[in-house]
Amino acid sequence: MARKKKDKGVIPPPVCKAILLCDAVLADPFTGKGTVVGIFENFLVPQFPGRTSPFFVYVQMTNGIGKYHITIEMRSIPSDQIIAHADVTDMEFKDRSAKNVLLLPVPPLPFAKCR
């Protein structure tokens, strides 16, 4: 199998190891370990138009080289339409094998319709 040539000067994107939507993320003050609470896959909105509850996004990435600008998009599965977009932060990878974690609090998001 032939390999693609890598463009010189272009750094590869980091590899995403996990993206979790959850109710909360807790940090142990002694060990620094995190606990992800209330992982979910769907939003329950009682009526439309409506809003989600506030939530957190837990993202774990690795294999980055240098600095990246991180953005997050939420899309509707049936239409592939962008529901929410945020320019989050810049993230620096000092060691390619290290795992970087991003914890993002998300305020209630508006939903105009179900699909």
Side-chain angles (χ1 to χ4, degrees):
M1 178 184 280
R3 289 186 175 176
K4 285 185 176 181
K5 286 185 178 180
K6 292 185 180 180
D7 294 332
K8 291 189 179 197
V10 176
I11 58 174
V15 175
C16 183
K17 302 298 277 182
I19 299 177
L20 300 171
L21 305 179
C22 57
D23 295 325
V25 179
L26 309 174
D28 183 299
F30 300 108
T31 65
K33 291 180 181 180
T35 300
V36 179
V37 179
I39 298 169
F40 61 90
E41 296 177 7
N42 300 306
F43 294 100
L44 299 175
V45 180
Q47 64 184 26
F48 294 95
R51 292 185 170 275
T52 67
S53 297
F55 62 98
F56 285 82
V57 178
Y58 173 95
V59 182
Q60 184 186 80
M61 292 180 281
T62 190
N63 257 10
I65 303 169
K67 194 176 200 177
Y68 298 85
H69 183 70
I70 307 298
T71 62
I72 292 180
E73 290 181 350
M74 184 178 295
R75 294 179 175 263
S76 166
I77 292 174
S79 68
D80 199 36
Q81 179 182 13
I82 297 172
I83 298 169
H85 171 91
D87 287 317
V88 179
T89 188
D90 288 328
M91 183 177 280
E92 179 136 11
F93 290 79
K94 295 181 183 193
D95 176 1
R96 189 160 185 168
S97 64
K99 293 180 184 112
N100 282 15
V101 172
L102 175 65
L103 301 175
L104 177 65
V106 181
L109 297 175
F111 278 91
K113 57 185 177 178
C114 183
R115 294 186 188 244

